[in-house]
Amino acid sequence: LSPIAAAYLALASALASAIVSLAADRFPFLLRFASFALLGVSGVAAVVAGVSVLVPGIQLSAELPLGLPWLQWHLRLDALSGFFLAVVGLLVFTAALYGPGYVRSYVHARNRQSLAALGTFTGLFILGMFLVVLADDAFVFMVAWELMSVASYFLVAHQHQHAANRRAAFLYLLMAHVAGIAILLGFSVLAGFGGDFAFARMRAAELSPTWASIAFALAFFGFGMKAGMVPVHAWLPEAHPVAPSHISALMSGVMLKVALYGLIRFVYDLLGELHWEWGLAMLLIGATSALLGVLYALVRNNLKRLLAYSSIENVGIILSALGLSVIFTGTGHTALGVLGLIAALYHILGHALFKGLLFFGAGAIAHSSHEYDLNNMGGLIRRMPQTALFMLIGSLAIAGVPPLTGFVSEWLTFQVALQAPRLESGVLRALIPVTAAMLALAAALAAATFVKVFGIAFLGQPRTRQARHAHEVDLGMRAAMGLLALGCVLFGVLQNVVIGAIDSVPQMLISQAPAGAAGQSFLWLTPISSKVASYSAPLVFVAILAIAGLSFLFLHTRRTTTRRGYPWECGYGQVNARMQYTATAFSQPIQRIFAPVWDLKEDIDEKRHPSQPQIVASIRYQVQANDKSWTRLYEPIGTLVLAGARRIGLIQTGSIHTYLAYSFFTLLFLLWVVT
Amino acid sequence: MIEAWLFALLQTLLFVAGAPLLLGWIKRVKCHMQNRAAPTLFQPYRDIGKLLRKHTVLAENASWLFRATPYVVFSATILAASIVPLIALELPTAAIADAIVMVGFLALARFFLALAGLDIGTAFGGMGSSREMMIGALAEPVLLMTVFTVSMSASTTNLSEAMGFTLSSGLVLRPSFLFAAFALMLVAVAETGRVPIDNPATHLELTMVHEAMILEYTGRHLALIEWASQIKVMVYMTLIANLFLPIGIATDFTAPELLKGAVAIAAKLALLGVVLVVWETVMAKMRVFRVPPYLGFAFLLSLLGALTHVVLETGG
């Protein structure tokens, strides 16, 4: 199977899955078996196609006899698109494993929504993502981009009986199109200079620095908006959580990555020479997104919304690494630029794995207990032991602790940032450590966030009846989570295998021999030189297991027994579930420290004892931590647009005569212009 | 090569074996300073031994995570210790993991401890976890920034190489190092749960942070956690001593050099222990919400350290 044939197979099976699902309303088994099986084939084919072109120097082009008569569809499979094709394919494959079990509740729901819509738009959404990555001209790119955006709009709106979901979906569609316009304008600048929509012509175009910067700004805004960067992120935590969980996993796990793919393709490949000022913009916005994203995530109690905010943090980390890469490449330190790009790609892979895993886990909890709010969960580790283990691995990976996936990319990013003293500009030398500090703070807060997620949801005592009666999910769902958890461990431990595979991407984009990041053997990761820094995840992994195992063996052979007893309750009798810390309580200290970040609405309702007013009889605390970008950015723009529309609306009188007059004067005006 | 690895193993064992002694020393000096009768230097060993011999009582609803945590915490802390040069430089284990990874190991230990605090579902455990993660979230960036400051000067994040750099450059006064050293001391106090952030000797659950998290642990589990936190104290003190004042540390593995290194680090740790005791004696424990300004100050210091380095100390 040649790579390009595999890519065609991936596209064809995604399309076939969409078509088969059309009949799913009448035959629900089609959705659960045929549709997801085809998606599985599609995912595997994409991984095969993607991995097989991760070799330096391979570029496969193809033309599809579709599209406009004078503009055939150009497709291209190179190392960059191969990498993203593989990442998307991997998650599509696991989603195909997960889906059949998960949609069962949709099939048997009392007021069931159209299954055909669910299956068809899932297929089209995935087809769109594959096509974006494969596109080799702006025309296909935009068609595929819109396919991806519109299909995912219908998935977000799938449970449209709730008004909140309709609102979220509309906001999503609106933002996707604002972003789409910016991207289209960005491509137009390039097409204007290149004379054609084909990427090959755009690459060859010579842009003046000003026009290149304008094109960059448009593309950065457009792709960044779709990727969820601060401050244009507010649609993301609204839209991602309301889709079905396997779709949320795909949206957060890979659709954001497809937007980042667009940014990388546009900036590194099409624009030509890199300017370090662009990198600085990406770095600053990236670090801000990372910090604000994780702070917003920390105070959420709705699990899926929390995960969506955490995606903003991770996109911020990736943007920071990309920014560092552009800064170093733009100032002539290509080896460090390569390293920054590797860090970004590594985090893209890692985030796809663990965010997919965590959304699957959130879906598993919702599937078995119908709960989305952390404050209604608790004690699930006893009811869902395997899901708990997988979620623990995912939480550890996203918190960035060694030796799992999230850590390697953060470590690489820090290593690149630490080379700031090599730069000549004093401003950059001073700003890069500051952004590194912001990233360090974000990483530490991410750990707090995921202690909250795992600790409140899975540990402690069940807080509701539903949580008490939760059950383990079926084999397919566990297999999907298990695969991703295995990926989080393997891709973290086998750092050099991963880096060796993605090395061909920077070689293609920055045209530089491998930086020697992967050392001589698979054990050592020495990005700059072995004297400067080294990390060996395999040895760390073995050492942790060895020390823990040895101490366990040594201590367990002693003649001591283990028995169960009551926990300490200060002598007041039984501990009950209401005495536990809640999710709100857990994050309250940090919420208080960083209070200016949110629009906080705190409400304390204190009831005094009727006869003895010095005694508090009951106390109720409510907090709403709202996203400031709503009131500061979205609402002003929204009112402005509405006001403008009302002004323009004045010319609509409703009388046919006025409209005829308008047409007449327009015609006159045009005639005047032509002559 | 082999002997270097053997030596690294030996030095790690020294960390494990020596940490209780260091804590015994601190306790003893503290008692003397506060006019109390002092236990022997070896009291921490006796305590650990007693706990190891005791039977273990688990809460009824403790999960496997609760039982696994002590082992994870213990091994992560030992790994962190294994990459910090104690007596000699040229540590081969320092290449396995650099200073950033060391911060990661401590974060791994804290992650599991905080989860264990939430496992039983008592109010104290949750309170301890929540506060520990707050302190950790603010302290970890400080630690990373001090590491960054030193490693930008030494242009390496390898701890052994970085200490070698400070040793070879002699007693040069670097303003960035002053800031970094002070920030590291402040954060070490917070991270090891000492006064004024936390009180390791408190008996009141409401004022506990670290102790509240591990309130439900008994027997060998408690022994492992206590031991790990003692190793953590020693790791921080060794970092402060050897990163900023590496005088006397052995540069090769010959007997006289090693002896010199051992004496030097023993003297430095003893001295730092006294400094800690004085600090703990003159300070009163803070309210929880006084901690963020304290750590914010440390963060500012470490950031200043990094900025001083890039602005003043690198030729522009």
Side-chain angles (χ1 to χ4, degrees):
Chain A
L1 200 66
S2 79
I4 212 88
Y8 281 147
L9 178 61
L11 294 176
S13 357
L15 187 62
S17 156
I19 293 169
V20 164
S21 312
L22 283 174
D25 273 330
R26 178 162 290 192
F27 310 106
F29 69 90
L30 274 181
L31 177 66
R32 285 186 52 202
F33 299 103
S35 170
F36 280 113
L38 281 166
L39 284 186
V41 172
S42 172
V44 172
V47 172
V48 169
V51 170
S52 58
V53 294
L54 281 178
V55 188
I58 284 201
Q59 280 175 15
L60 304 163
S61 301
E63 285 192 15
L64 283 184
L66 291 167
L68 304 175
W70 68 93
L71 188 68
Q72 302 243 297
W73 283 21
H74 298 76
L75 300 183
R76 186 167 101 147
L77 193 54
D78 55 21
L80 179 63
S81 42
F83 172 75
F84 280 90
L85 200 61
V87 171
V88 178
L90 189 65
L91 215 59
V92 167
F93 174 67
T94 50
L97 277 179
Y98 182 87
Y102 184 74
V103 298
R104 205 161 42 184
S105 59
Y106 287 85
V107 174
H108 299 301
R110 204 169 300 134
N111 52 351
R112 123 178 158 188
Q113 302 299 332
S114 166
L115 296 176
L118 180 63
T120 307
F121 288 117
T122 306
L124 289 178
F125 169 52
I126 289 165
L127 177 72
M129 288 198 289
F130 285 148
L131 257 185
V132 168
V133 174
L134 289 169
D136 198 30
D137 64 58
F139 187 72
V140 184
F141 190 96
M142 287 316 295
V143 169
W145 184 267
E146 287 302 314
L147 185 63
M148 176 178 93
S149 296
V150 175
S152 52
Y153 159 76
F154 285 106
L155 294 170
V156 170
H158 183 250
Q159 283 176 317
H160 52 81
Q161 69 271 37
H162 303 295
N165 295 1
R166 291 199 296 273
R167 181 170 157 272
F170 174 71
L171 182 70
Y172 170 60
L173 191 68
L174 188 69
M175 290 300 145
H177 281 92
V178 174
I181 290 170
I183 295 166
L184 192 63
L185 288 176
F187 277 128
S188 326
V189 172
L190 287 185
F193 279 87
D196 192 32
F197 288 114
F199 283 173
R201 298 284 294 272
M202 292 184 183
R203 258 178 225 117
E206 291 282 330
L207 272 74
S208 66
T210 321
W211 277 109
S213 294
I214 291 173
F216 167 78
L218 286 167
F220 184 42
F221 175 75
F223 289 120
M225 189 172 215
K226 187 77 177 172
M229 72 182 183
V230 171
V232 285
H233 65 279
W235 62 271
L236 193 152
E238 299 290 319
H240 285 200
V242 301
S245 290
H246 60 296
I247 304 296
S248 308
L250 284 175
M251 287 178 80
S252 256
V254 290
M255 191 182 71
L256 304 183
K257 309 304 151 46
V258 172
L260 290 169
Y261 161 82
L263 185 65
I264 295 174
R265 171 70 75 190
F266 197 96
V267 174
Y268 284 85
D269 193 17
L270 303 182
L271 268 178
E273 204 185 332
L274 296 175
H275 296 275
W276 62 262
E277 292 89 347
W278 305 346
L280 189 61
M282 288 158 84
L283 178 64
L284 291 179
I285 290 191
T288 315
S289 304
L291 193 54
L292 287 180
V294 71
L295 279 173
Y296 282 129
L298 182 68
V299 298
R300 298 291 146 213
N301 291 336
N302 178 315
L303 181 52
K304 285 177 81 176
R305 186 166 286 218
L306 184 152
L307 292 176
Y309 268 114
S310 139
S311 294
I312 296 173
E313 181 223 345
N314 283 281
V315 164
I317 295 172
I318 297 166
L319 278 180
S320 309
L322 282 178
L324 286 170
S325 164
V326 172
I327 288 176
F328 280 106
T329 316
T331 49
H333 302 87
T334 31
L336 291 171
V338 168
L339 205 58
L341 187 55
I342 288 180
L345 293 175
Y346 209 130
H347 204 78
I348 285 173
L349 172 67
H351 182 241
L353 293 172
F354 46 68
K355 192 46 67 66
L357 170 57
L358 291 167
F359 264 115
F360 285 164
I365 296 173
H367 185 75
S368 74
S369 73
H370 305 285
E371 287 295 351
Y372 293 93
D373 192 332
L374 285 173
N375 279 331
N376 293 337
M377 300 176 188
L380 293 173
I381 195 172
R382 284 169 273 280
R383 306 291 309 180
M384 310 169 75
Q386 296 183 28
T387 307
L389 177 65
F390 301 144
M391 281 289 270
L392 177 64
I393 293 174
S395 304
L396 284 167
I398 200 169
V401 296
L404 300 178
T405 346
F407 183 75
V408 187
S409 39
E410 281 184 29
W411 187 80
L412 282 172
T413 313
F414 284 138
Q415 290 298 345
V416 181
L418 281 179
Q419 298 303 315
R422 290 201 200 181
L423 294 167
E424 267 142 43
S425 150
V427 178
L428 285 182
R429 278 212 310 260
L431 274 178
I432 291 178
V434 175
T435 50
M438 287 164 77
L439 289 181
L441 186 58
L445 287 168
T449 307
F450 284 90
V451 165
K452 165 173 159 171
V453 168
F454 191 81
I456 303 290
F458 285 93
L459 303 177
Q461 304 175 40
R463 291 178 175 80
T464 54
R465 201 167 55 82
Q466 279 96 327
R468 203 172 303 122
H469 297 293
H471 54 85
E472 187 59 283
V473 289
D474 76 355
L475 188 65
M477 291 166 82
R478 274 178 289 153
M481 291 188 279
L483 262 182
L484 289 175
L486 189 70
C488 285
V489 177
L490 276 186
F491 289 152
V493 172
L494 302 174
Q495 21 153 353
N496 285 4
V497 178
V498 178
I499 290 178
I502 56 184
D503 226 8
S504 50
V505 180
Q507 280 184 51
M508 180 193 101
L509 293 176
I510 313 186
S511 57
Q512 167 89 9
Q520 301 85 347
S521 68
F522 81 101
L523 279 182
W524 302 99
L525 177 61
T526 50
I528 294 144
S529 85
S530 60
K531 287 277 174 204
V532 171
S534 52
Y535 169 50
S536 171
L539 288 180
V540 166
F541 188 64
V542 170
I544 287 186
L545 289 185
I547 299 176
L550 278 178
S551 46
F552 181 78
L553 279 180
F554 175 69
L555 292 173
H556 244 71
T557 49
R558 292 182 159 267
R559 261 182 291 156
T560 54
T561 57
T562 304
R563 66 182 176 83
R564 298 273 176 170
Y566 296 120
W568 172 236
E569 50 352 37
C570 296
Y572 280 107
Q574 272 294 330
V575 174
N576 69 39
R578 300 250 304 142
M579 293 176 183
Q580 301 176 89
Y581 250 44
T582 58
T584 317
F586 187 88
S587 48
Q588 199 263 351
I590 299 179
Q591 174 193 307
R592 184 161 158 176
I593 299 169
F594 294 96
V597 171
W598 305 273
D599 278 331
L600 281 182
K601 284 198 192 73
E602 282 179 291
D603 184 25
I604 300 176
D605 184 15
E606 215 177 62
K607 287 215 171 52
R608 297 283 170 163
H609 203 268
S611 54
Q612 293 152 300
Q614 71 273 26
I615 295 178
V616 177
S618 77
I619 189 161
R620 191 181 169 82
Y621 172 77
Q622 265 188 322
V623 64
Q624 256 192 320
N626 291 328
D627 200 326
K628 262 195 177 167
S629 69
W630 271 112
T631 46
R632 299 290 156 87
L633 187 72
Y634 281 72
E635 281 171 9
I637 292 180
T639 17
L640 213 67
V641 169
L642 280 182
R646 227 170 286 134
R647 288 282 161 76
I648 295 174
L650 286 182
I651 63 172
Q652 290 183 331
T653 55
S655 139
I656 187 85
H657 302 102
T658 342
Y659 291 135
L660 281 176
Y662 288 154
S663 318
F664 176 68
F665 285 115
T666 311
L667 207 61
L668 271 187
F669 176 74
L670 287 177
L671 279 174
W672 175 70
V673 168
V674 167
T675 53
Chain B
M1 189 62 194
I2 292 290
E3 65 172 2
W5 281 93
L6 272 180
F7 180 77
L9 188 68
L10 205 69
Q11 189 175 266
T12 312
L13 288 178
L14 201 61
F15 257 110
V16 178
L21 186 65
L22 177 64
L23 266 290
W25 164 254
I26 292 173
K27 202 169 266 176
R28 205 175 154 81
V29 175
K30 196 171 182 178
C31 287
H32 281 304
M33 187 159 278
Q34 299 175 348
N35 283 331
R36 290 186 282 141
T40 76
L41 268 182
F42 301 101
Q43 189 59 39
Y45 293 105
R46 292 183 181 168
D47 291 342
I48 289 177
K50 178 186 72 185
L51 287 172
L52 282 178
R53 279 194 305 277
K54 280 197 165 189
H55 297 293
T56 306
V57 186
L58 288 173
E60 297 156 313
N61 57 346
S63 67
W64 57 264
L65 189 107
F66 188 80
R67 309 177 74 161
T69 294
Y71 300 99
V72 176
V73 171
F74 192 58
S75 58
T77 317
I78 289 182
L79 268 184
S82 74
I83 57 175
V84 179
L86 181 70
I87 296 179
L89 293 174
E90 308 292 328
L91 204 59
T93 43
I96 294 182
D98 65 353
I100 303 176
V101 190
M102 188 202 74
V103 179
F105 288 146
L106 297 178
L108 176 67
R110 176 167 48 230
F111 197 95
F112 270 90
L113 264 186
L115 284 185
L118 288 164
D119 187 46
I120 308 297
T122 62
F124 294 131
M127 189 174 68
S129 299
S130 165
R131 291 179 177 176
E132 172 82 3
M133 288 320 285
M134 172 191 81
I135 295 171
L138 298 175
E140 199 185 297
V142 185
L143 184 55
L144 266 179
M145 283 315 286
T146 53
V147 164
F148 286 174
T149 310
V150 175
S151 59
M152 277 197 286
S153 296
S155 45
T156 173
T157 51
N158 182 316
L159 280 171
S160 187
E161 299 283 333
M163 290 175 188
F165 168 81
T166 353
L167 186 64
S168 65
S169 58
L171 269 178
V172 190
L173 186 70
R174 282 197 188 76
S176 65
F177 272 39
L178 279 182
F179 283 122
F182 193 35
L184 186 57
M185 285 188 189
L186 289 180
V187 83
V189 168
E191 280 271 67
T192 52
R194 315 292 303 190
V195 175
I197 304 301
D198 190 5
N199 185 357
T202 184
H203 62 278
L204 257 177
E205 292 99 335
L206 281 174
T207 60
M208 293 173 174
V209 178
H210 182 79
E211 301 297 315
M213 256 191 324
I214 60 171
L215 204 59
E216 292 299 326
Y217 274 114
T218 52
R220 57 171 187 277
H221 294 149
L222 184 60
L224 281 178
I225 290 178
E226 293 283 358
W227 204 347
S229 64
Q230 290 166 358
I231 297 172
K232 194 171 162 188
V233 173
M234 186 155 163
V235 166
Y236 269 101
M237 285 194 162
T238 312
L239 265 186
I240 296 171
N242 280 350
L243 211 48
F244 299 105
L245 206 66
I247 300 163
I249 196 164
T251 45
D252 53 42
F253 298 129
T254 56
E257 272 284 300
L258 289 180
L259 193 65
K260 190 186 80 178
V263 172
I265 191 65
K268 281 187 271 185
L269 288 183
L271 195 69
L272 270 177
V274 175
V275 171
L276 179 67
V277 167
V278 173
W279 169 269
E280 284 201 290
T281 308
V282 298
M283 296 290 260
K285 191 185 167 304
M286 289 177 179
R287 284 177 60 217
V288 166
F289 284 107
R290 297 287 295 280
V291 172
Y294 170 96
L295 287 171
F297 176 62
F299 189 62
L300 208 65
L301 278 180
S302 62
L303 199 60
L304 270 180
L307 289 180
T308 325
H309 172 74
V310 291
V311 175
L312 293 182
E313 292 165 21
T314 45

